[in-house]
Amino acid sequence: MARTLIRPGGRSERIQLAVHKAVQELTEELPDQHLTVAMIAARAQVPPSTIYRRWQTLQQLLADVASERFLPDTLPADTGTLEGDLTVWLEQLVDDLSSGPGNALLRERMTDVRAARVAAGYAFQNLVLLCGRCEGRGEPPPMPDRLMDLLVAPVIYRIFFAGQTISNQYQAELVHHALQSPMIMQPFGAQASIKDYVIYEDGAQ
């Protein structure tokens, strides 16, 4: 059974620590200057969209830093359609992997087979959850394995091996073409499911 709380594999905590540290450093270095999201994002090496997604406003971020409060991990957003869910989820994945902290974490995990399989487990379970929502909406659920190949694999390759920046237009094209694929509902006949190889830290399957 899919887990009810999907952790992003440690990226969330590392990114929040980097953002909090950036705010603290900038406050000390520039006590008389008004901080901006752009300044904080640049120091923390994260996209500004990551800060807005997690804290909504600069004021909320500053309040959380002041109280040393960290946001809990959340389930992938429910937009009302699978295409909307996948678009938002992929955008968040790309933002996290493109950030300095998230990028460094996944590169570390690539050198450790068990850690890499744990990271793969988080992405796979997110997609299991998103596909599971389809039944309640009357949408035909695709195979999570197909989405891993059509959405996650090209993003990982382009970011970590080609050193590319992933544009929003490219993300939208990936989602659109994945959902248009005639094989999206079909399991692989000659390849084992990723679920049989990933590792879940709490033992849930």
Side-chain angles (χ1 to χ4, degrees):
M1 179 179 294
R3 298 190 296 180
T4 56
L5 179 61
I6 311 300
R7 294 175 56 205
R11 292 190 300 275
S12 177
E13 180 179 2
R14 188 170 289 202
I15 288 171
Q16 291 191 67
L17 284 170
V19 172
H20 276 227
K21 182 181 178 183
V23 172
Q24 293 164 351
E25 290 177 350
L26 289 169
T27 300
E28 293 175 1
E29 295 170 12
L30 307 168
D32 299 323
Q33 187 169 337
H34 178 69
L35 298 186
T36 66
V37 169
M39 293 167 59
I40 296 167
R43 177 63 65 93
Q45 297 182 26
V46 304
S49 57
T50 294
I51 293 178
Y52 284 117
R53 186 179 65 245
R54 295 175 189 274
W55 288 279
Q56 280 76 58
T57 66
L58 174 62
Q59 290 69 30
Q60 183 60 51
L61 168 59
L62 297 179
D64 286 348
V65 172
S67 63
E68 297 185 343
R69 188 179 82 90
F70 287 85
L71 302 178
D73 294 332
T74 59
L75 296 173
D78 187 343
T79 66
T81 66
L82 177 61
E83 183 169 6
D85 288 358
L86 289 173
T87 299
V88 172
W89 178 79
L90 187 61
E91 179 182 357
Q92 180 174 344
L93 179 69
V94 168
D95 271 2
D96 285 354
L97 294 179
S98 300
S99 72
N103 192 287
L105 178 63
L106 197 58
R107 289 190 182 279
E108 291 172 10
R109 294 195 167 206
M110 285 181 176
T111 64
D112 182 323
V113 174
R114 186 185 186 283
R117 290 170 68 182
V118 168
Y122 291 124
F124 187 76
Q125 284 296 94
N126 271 270
L127 292 174
V128 168
L129 173 66
L130 296 183
C131 291
R133 286 179 181 166
C134 292
E135 296 181 5
R137 298 170 177 157
E139 292 182 281
M143 299 298 298
D145 275 283
R146 296 285 183 182
L147 294 177
M148 286 289 284
D149 284 3
L150 295 171
L151 300 180
V152 180
V155 163
I156 294 292
Y157 187 88
R158 287 178 180 275
I159 291 176
F160 290 95
F161 296 98
Q164 291 186 342
T165 297
I166 307 298
S167 70
N168 288 335
Q169 182 178 350
Y170 176 66
Q171 294 172 48
E173 289 177 359
L174 286 179
V175 172
H176 176 75
H177 290 307
L179 295 180
Q180 293 298 314
S181 170
M183 300 300 293
I184 195 69
M185 310 295 177
Q186 302 297 321
F188 288 100
Q191 185 68 38
S193 172
I194 291 175
K195 72 179 180 182
D196 298 326
Y197 288 83
V198 298
I199 298 174
Y200 306 104
E201 287 185 329
D202 60 5
Q205 297 283 335

